[in-house]
Amino acid sequence: MLTLALASVRLRWASFVGSFVALACGVALMAVSILVIAATADVPDQGRQRFSGAPVLVVANRSVDVATTGGEVEPTPVAAQPGLPPELIAAVAATGRTVEDRTFYAQTADGPASQVGRAWSAAAVGGYRLTAGAAPASDDQVVLGGGSPEQVGRSVRFVTADGPHTAIVSGVTEAEPFEHALFFTDARASRLCPAVGVLAAYGPADAVRRAVAATGGDHAARVLTGAERAQADPHHIEVASRLENVQTPLGLSAAVSGGTAVFVVAGTFALSIAQRRRELALLRLIGATRRQLRSLVHREALVVGLLASAAGCAAGAAGAAPAAHWLVERDLVPADFTVPVTAWALLTAAALGLLTALGGVLLSSLKAGLVSPGDALAEADLDRHSRGVLALRWAGGLLVLGGALAAVALTAKYWPDAAANAADALSLLLGVVAGCVLLAGVLAGPTVRLLTLLPALSSRLRTSVTWSTARQNALTSFRRTAATTTPIVLIVAFAGCLLGSIGTINRAQATEVRNRLAAADFVVTPAGTPGLSRAVVDRVGAVPGVRAVATTPTSLMAPVVDGQALAPFRAASADPAALAEVDRLPVVAGSLTDLRPGSVVLSRTWPGSPQVGQQVSVLLADGTPRSLRVAALLGTGSEAVQAWVTPSDAVTGGVGGPALADRVDLRLLPGADREQAAAALRTAVDGLGARVVTPREVWSAATDSTEQAAWNALLMILGLAIGYAAIALANSLVMTVADRRREFSLMRLSGATRAQVLRTVAVETLLCVAAGTALGVLGTALSVGGSWAALTHLIGPTPAVVPWAVMGTLAAGCAVIALVAALLPAALALREPPLAAV
């Protein structure tokens, strides 16, 4: 059978081109993905870091114990670390020399948003060396990291969490790649940030561990030695996070590539088996068993898979370096990132390619084994499909589509917050797309008939031989119409579902922002800074004629999964009276006026579904347990603030210094002049890293940023799926048109010209494209409609986003691909004399 399989692939190579291209592309992508993921598995040596000079590090790591269902106790780190306890610091100091590290927000006028302030005593731990000047001798002096010698002795203006300051540059150091720092005296650093985040210890590691354990610090600190010390370095953590973020889209792309390759291979071989039915029946007639026919199909797939895997591995090895360059150019990975080519990664990709090929022909091989010897006596290769096959298609498609729609409906009613999360929403909505794709084969004919009802009433079209022939071909050639329509449904519905659902979620988030700022006249936002200092909040609040509410981010921890785990939730603190007067939060129960110390305003999606007036047990950001009374419930999504508390119930400090406000919303008081208020606000924030904008600018920026992020994240995955579906579309048409030589010859002998035959093929192809587009639009409407219904139930009226332009462009692209793939082989087939083909 292997010899027969090789001969079959060689003689019918056109039937296997689509499978070969799809598998080769899939293996190439999987090879590149595996190589890149392997390269990002470990953070490369970053050289000298913030704590490279210390042999032992004691890092603040307060955690809360959570009992699991198995009786085990798992510590959960708190969101806001309060710093190392004084008794622990003293105990570690008794083991040898120690250096306390305090890191906090401090930014010069021309400094980046990531700039930090530190104590000068900690500079030596990271290997800093003065290139000019001297260490700070008094609180009004600083050392500027990465500064130029000309700056020594000059005055520098900087901002910390409490506001603007001025100091004299006593010295400068060389620039370091791992941070931008401004160094203070130890005394001033301790005032700006009382919490010690890291303690560099130079005593014996065992002695340090015993000292930490003796003070009960197991739940307050971690002891790091050797390579583990990099875990305390923010630059190392940032690089690790960037590398980890690269792995997710690459893994999804590889999964989409493999899954779609299976779809292409399955469709190609299914069509090939249907076209070769008489050939397979002749093999049965001369003695071949059903098992031998199945083996023949498997070995054909194995031959195609081996060739495609070899080509894909070669392309993947060649694409490793360009992939690394592409990631570096977009600042997704460090500048020195490289992707080494390893044999095991290429072999893994090749093995996955072979498994994909064999998995794709599983159903086709079963169909081949069911061919009867009597089919060899058939006079014509009829395009037939049994009621059993139709019933199976209907049952499978309706089961998947019905289950997906039921899941979407239940989610919209009982768990609407899941619709606000892109990952949860897409996992549900892709089931709708899968159901539409499964039903595309059986709905293609009825859709063509429905689309041609209105044109069929036209007497001109009714008398057109080209139109009538093309219409009847599309209606009666079930197999050919289904093979052409299904990839188009996948392309249009997949693009519409992903882009439409993500766009609807983004618009809903922007709607939340717009609704909240409905009564605001101005908003103060950060300008090149990570947040707003206390001085900005105070100065803006002192401007006459305006009412201001500043929101400071924090977090609350609450039990989830039946109380067996703790999870942090986004929270914010604000003055309750100002919040109720300036902002318009979507209150669905209770009142914001009841928010006071000891109470909380929660999203109605909060775990446990609490009611107004109920006491809820939470942990503050530093792990402090607190029981708060629910003052009101909000209809907000999972991406918005989930809880509001008063400043007295919020933890907004700890390691890293006091928290910065993220925004100040302002409302004009009655009688206030808008222009005068705007000018006064701009004067108040001048030079403090803040700007005054309108509410429209805020929610417009939120819309633009979320849409851009969504597009960047989905472009690779969507492009792959569309590319594979386009391959399947072109391959199916090439196979079916090339197999219609006898039909074309009969049309020519009946009096049709070559131009009429080509027009018939073109019209039939366009009818299939139109049917596929219509079904894709239907799938998009169902998926986007489900997402929109859930979001409307969650936050109120919000627009639904349907990417008409993208779907129209894709449909036009499908039409071009389909016409080229249909007309080119048809034109070649018409070059043969009609009698010779018959």
Side-chain angles (χ1 to χ4, degrees):
M1 280 297 171
L2 181 59
T3 303
L4 187 58
L6 290 171
S8 176
V9 172
R10 180 173 59 85
L11 294 174
R12 302 180 64 92
W13 61 270
S15 300
F16 301 102
V17 168
S19 296
F20 174 82
V21 173
L23 283 172
C25 292
V27 171
L29 180 63
M30 285 188 281
V32 172
S33 300
I34 294 172
L35 289 170
V36 174
I37 290 174
T40 59
D42 296 320
V43 179
D45 184 13
Q46 300 297 304
R48 187 159 51 87
Q49 298 293 307
R50 179 182 288 185
F51 303 110
S52 298
V56 184
L57 297 177
V58 182
V59 182
N61 187 46
R62 182 173 180 180
S63 58
V64 180
D65 288 340
V66 179
T68 64
T69 53
E72 301 177 354
V73 176
E74 293 186 358
T76 301
V78 299
Q81 293 293 331
L84 296 172
E87 59 274 13
L88 186 149
I89 296 175
V92 174
T95 66
R97 185 169 72 93
T98 59
V99 177
E100 299 176 0
D101 179 74
R102 294 176 171 88
T103 303
F104 49 92
Y105 169 63
Q107 183 180 2
T108 58
D110 57 350
S114 59
Q115 193 171 22
V116 296
R118 300 182 63 201
W120 175 248
S121 62
V125 180
Y128 278 94
R129 295 291 183 270
L130 288 169
T131 57
S138 60
D139 288 350
D140 62 347
Q141 294 182 348
V142 295
V143 170
L144 186 59
S148 62
E150 292 78 11
Q151 292 178 286
V152 176
R154 296 181 181 177
S155 176
V156 63
R157 180 182 174 87
F158 62 92
V159 178
T160 63
D162 60 352
H165 302 274
T166 303
I168 302 298
V169 178
S170 65
V172 295
T173 71
E174 61 184 8
E176 298 292 351
F178 54 83
E179 72 178 358
H180 300 275
L182 189 64
F183 294 97
F184 300 82
T185 61
D186 288 10
R188 188 171 189 184
S190 64
R191 290 195 299 271
L192 291 172
C193 180
V196 177
V198 179
L199 185 66
Y202 292 83
D206 292 339
V208 173
R209 289 192 178 91
R210 287 194 298 270
V212 171
T215 56
D218 291 343
H219 285 73
R222 287 189 302 157
V223 179
L224 305 178
T225 59
E228 292 179 337
R229 294 174 301 162
Q231 299 175 16
D233 183 77
H235 180 65
H236 181 277
I237 296 172
E238 178 192 357
V239 172
S241 176
R242 291 167 65 185
L243 294 179
E244 185 179 352
N245 290 338
V246 170
Q247 296 176 7
T248 301
L250 282 175
L252 289 175
S253 300
V256 170
S257 174
T260 317
V262 170
F263 164 76
V264 175
V265 173
T268 299
F269 273 85
L271 191 57
S272 175
I273 295 301
Q275 291 178 335
R276 297 160 56 192
R277 191 175 187 88
R278 292 184 65 189
E279 174 187 327
L280 297 174
L282 284 173
L283 291 176
R284 288 295 315 281
L285 197 62
I286 62 175
T289 64
R290 297 181 186 273
R291 181 178 179 181
Q292 287 176 318
L293 290 188
R294 291 194 296 268
S295 177
L296 172 63
V297 175
H298 287 152
R299 294 184 184 187
E300 288 175 347
L302 183 62
V303 171
V304 175
L306 285 172
L307 296 174
S309 295
C313 285
H325 181 69
W326 186 86
L327 293 172
V328 170
E329 273 190 338
R330 282 149 184 80
D331 200 29
L332 298 174
V333 293
D336 57 349
F337 178 74
T338 59
V339 180
V341 178
T342 56
W344 70 265
L346 297 179
L347 290 175
T348 302
L352 291 174
L354 290 176
L355 291 176
T356 300
L358 295 175
V361 301
L362 184 61
L363 184 60
S364 298
S365 65
L366 295 177
K367 290 182 178 180
L370 296 177
V371 174
S372 170
D375 291 339
L377 303 178
E379 290 292 335
D381 183 17
L382 298 177
D383 189 4
R384 52 194 169 188
H385 47 278
S386 66
R387 293 183 178 180
V389 173
L390 281 178
L392 186 62
R393 287 175 178 265
W394 276 108
L398 290 176
L399 182 63
V400 174
L401 181 60
L405 291 177
V408 169
L410 291 175
T411 300
K413 183 173 180 61
Y414 297 106
W415 304 284
D417 56 308
N421 182 277
D424 293 340
L426 290 179
S427 62
L428 290 172
L429 299 178
L430 288 179
V432 177
V433 176
C436 292
V437 171
L438 290 174
L439 289 173
V442 292
L443 290 178
T447 305
V448 170
R449 188 181 301 277
L450 181 65
L451 292 175
T452 56
L453 279 179
L454 190 59
L457 299 178
S458 170
S459 59
R460 183 176 180 181
L461 286 177
R462 184 180 299 154
T463 57
S464 171
V465 176
T466 299
W467 170 264
S468 301
T469 304
R471 181 175 182 270
Q472 290 303 316
N473 283 342
L475 291 175
T476 57
S477 301
F478 169 83
R479 192 168 58 218
R480 186 167 64 240
T481 302
T484 306
T485 304
T486 301
I488 300 171
V489 176
L490 176 61
I491 291 174
V492 176
F494 192 53
C497 171
L498 260 66
L499 297 180
S501 299
I502 293 296
T504 302
I505 292 173
N506 292 339
R507 291 293 178 85
Q509 294 172 2
T511 299
E512 285 190 89
V513 177
R514 182 172 55 184
N515 293 342
R516 177 181 165 185
L517 297 175
D521 295 288
F522 300 102
V523 181
V524 177
T525 61
T529 61
L532 302 176
S533 65
R534 186 72 250 171
V536 173
V537 176
D538 292 341
R539 291 186 184 184
V540 167
V543 172
V546 298
R547 178 67 158 148
V549 55
T551 58
T552 304
T554 182
S555 68
L556 294 179
M557 299 181 70
V560 295
V561 194
D562 297 329
Q564 303 303 321
L566 285 175
F569 292 88
R570 294 179 59 185
S573 65
D575 176 72
L579 182 65
E581 185 176 346
V582 178
D583 283 353
R584 294 294 180 264
L585 298 181
V587 178
V588 295
S591 174
L592 289 179
T593 58
D594 294 333
L595 178 62
R596 53 180 60 92
S599 63
V600 63
V601 174
L602 298 176
S603 167
R604 61 179 173 183
T605 61
W606 192 266
S609 301
Q611 302 299 316
V612 174
Q614 180 181 340
Q615 294 289 131
V616 293
S617 297
V618 299
L619 297 179
L620 302 185
D622 63 352
T624 303
R626 188 70 60 86
S627 178
L628 302 176
R629 186 184 64 84
V630 179
L633 294 176
L634 304 178
T636 55
S638 61
E639 301 299 323
V641 174
Q642 297 286 288
W644 291 86
V645 294
T646 61
S648 61
D649 291 323
V651 176
T652 56
V655 173
L660 302 173
D662 59 1
R663 200 172 75 192
V664 180
D665 301 336
L666 303 114
R667 183 180 184 183
L668 291 174
L669 297 177
D673 183 84
R674 185 180 185 87
E675 297 299 328
Q676 291 181 356
L681 289 170
R682 294 189 183 95
T683 302
V685 303
D686 184 41
L688 298 180
R691 61 173 184 162
V692 180
V693 298
T694 62
R696 182 180 182 84
E697 291 178 277
V698 174
W699 62 261
S700 296
T703 302
D704 294 340
S705 62
T706 51
E707 288 181 351
Q708 183 62 38
W711 178 257
N712 290 336
L714 294 173
L715 184 60
M716 181 182 296
I717 300 172
L718 183 61
L720 286 171
I722 292 174
Y724 278 116
I727 293 172
L729 172 63
N731 188 68
S732 298
L733 283 169
V734 169
M735 291 177 62
T736 54
V737 173
D739 205 46
R740 297 172 65 185
R741 290 191 301 271
R742 190 168 186 272
E743 175 187 339
F744 296 157
S745 298
L746 289 174
M747 292 177 65
R748 290 292 312 281
L749 293 175
S750 301
T753 64
R754 289 182 180 178
Q756 287 177 317
V757 174
L758 291 177
R759 283 200 299 269
T760 301
V761 173
V763 172
E764 180 185 347
T765 302
L766 291 177
L767 284 175
C768 294
V769 172
T773 303
L775 292 174
V777 170
L778 176 61
T780 299
L782 293 175
S783 59
V784 174
S787 179
W788 171 81
L791 291 170
T792 301
H793 179 63
L794 181 65
I795 66 173
T798 183
V801 177
V802 179
W804 293 111
V806 174
M807 291 193 298
T809 302
L810 291 175
C814 289
V816 172
I817 294 173
L819 286 174
V820 172
L823 293 178
L824 185 59
L828 295 175
L830 289 173
R831 296 174 60 183
E832 186 178 10
L835 289 176
V838 175

